[in-house]
Amino acid sequence: MGTKTVDEAVDANGTEAKSDEETVNATKTDEAPDAEDRDDLDAEALEGEDTTEAEKGTPGVGQGAAAVVSAGLGVVSLTGSWVATVAAARETLVGQLGTSSTASVAKQVKEVYGDAWATTALVGGLFALAALIVGVVVLVRPAFGAPGKPQAAWIKSVAWAGVSLGVIGLVLAVAKYSDIILGLPSTS
C-alpha cells in the first residue's frame, strides 16, 4: 500500500476525493448569490431597459381618480351637500329680512322657502353638471392619449356611473328648480 496524492485518492464508493478549495468553490456556486453578486445581476438586468416602472408611473391613475371624483360628485348632486344647505339657509335669512310682516302669505312663502328650495336645486345642478363633465372627459381621454394603451375596464365603469348620476342629478335639479317636482304649495 503506497500513499496516494490528493489527485489519486478514491473513496470506498469510487468517487474521487477533492481538495478543500474545490469543495469550497463547489459549495459557493450551489448557494444563492450574495448581496454583491445580486447587485451586479440587477445592474445587468436594468441595462437593457429604457425606463423603470417608477419612471413610467402607474398607468391610468389620474383617469381612475377622475372617474371616482365624477361618481362622487354625482352622488352629492343627488343627496345634497353642506354647500347647498348653507346657501339655502342664507337664502332663507335673506327672504326673512326682505319680506315685511304685512306682505301676503304667497310672497312670504316664496321669499322664505321657495328661493331656498331653488338655491338647493341650483347647487345640486352644479354638482351634477360637474359630475357629467368630469365623467365625459374621462371617457373621451383615451382618444387623445397614446395609441395602443386601452383604458382599464373599471375606469370606464366608474366614469359611466358618474355620467349617469350626473344626468339623473341634472334632470332632478331642473325639475326641482322649475317646480315640476315638489313645487311650493298654493296659498290661495
Side-chain angles (χ1 to χ4, degrees), residues 145-184:
K149 291 190 177 185
Q151 192 175 44
W154 74 269
I155 294 174
K156 288 180 184 178
S157 298
V158 175
W160 275 113
V163 168
S164 300
L165 290 170
V167 167
I168 292 168
L170 202 55
V171 168
L172 289 175
V174 168
K176 285 191 301 186
Y177 191 82
S178 61
D179 289 336
I180 294 172
I181 296 177
L182 301 171
L184 291 174

Side-chain angles (χ1 to χ4, degrees), residues 33-171:
D34 60 357
E36 185 176 306
D37 293 338
R38 277 184 266 148
D39 291 342
D40 293 340
L41 292 174
D42 291 342
E44 290 173 7
L46 291 176
E47 285 178 4
E49 294 181 15
D50 291 337
T51 58
T52 62
E53 279 298 316
E55 291 172 353
K56 289 180 188 175
T58 306
V61 170
Q63 293 177 28
V68 170
V69 166
S70 173
L73 288 170
V75 168
V76 169
S77 75
L78 295 175
T79 61
S81 68
W82 66 269
V83 175
T85 303
V86 169
R90 182 184 183 284
E91 198 60 42
T92 299
L93 181 61
V94 169
Q96 289 173 349
L97 293 174
T99 306
S100 67
S101 60
T102 58
S104 68
V105 173
K107 180 172 170 99
Q108 288 179 0
V109 168
K110 183 196 175 302
E111 292 295 322
V112 175
Y113 299 107
D115 291 347
W117 179 252
T119 302
T120 302
L122 181 65
V123 172
L126 291 175
F127 274 100
L129 185 62
L132 184 63
I133 290 170
V134 171
V136 167
V137 167
V138 169
L139 290 172
V140 297
R141 170 64 176 97
F144 301 105
K149 291 190 177 185
Q151 192 175 44
W154 74 269
I155 294 174
K156 288 180 184 178
S157 298
V158 175
W160 275 113
V163 168
S164 300
L165 290 170
V167 167
I168 292 168
L170 202 55
V171 168

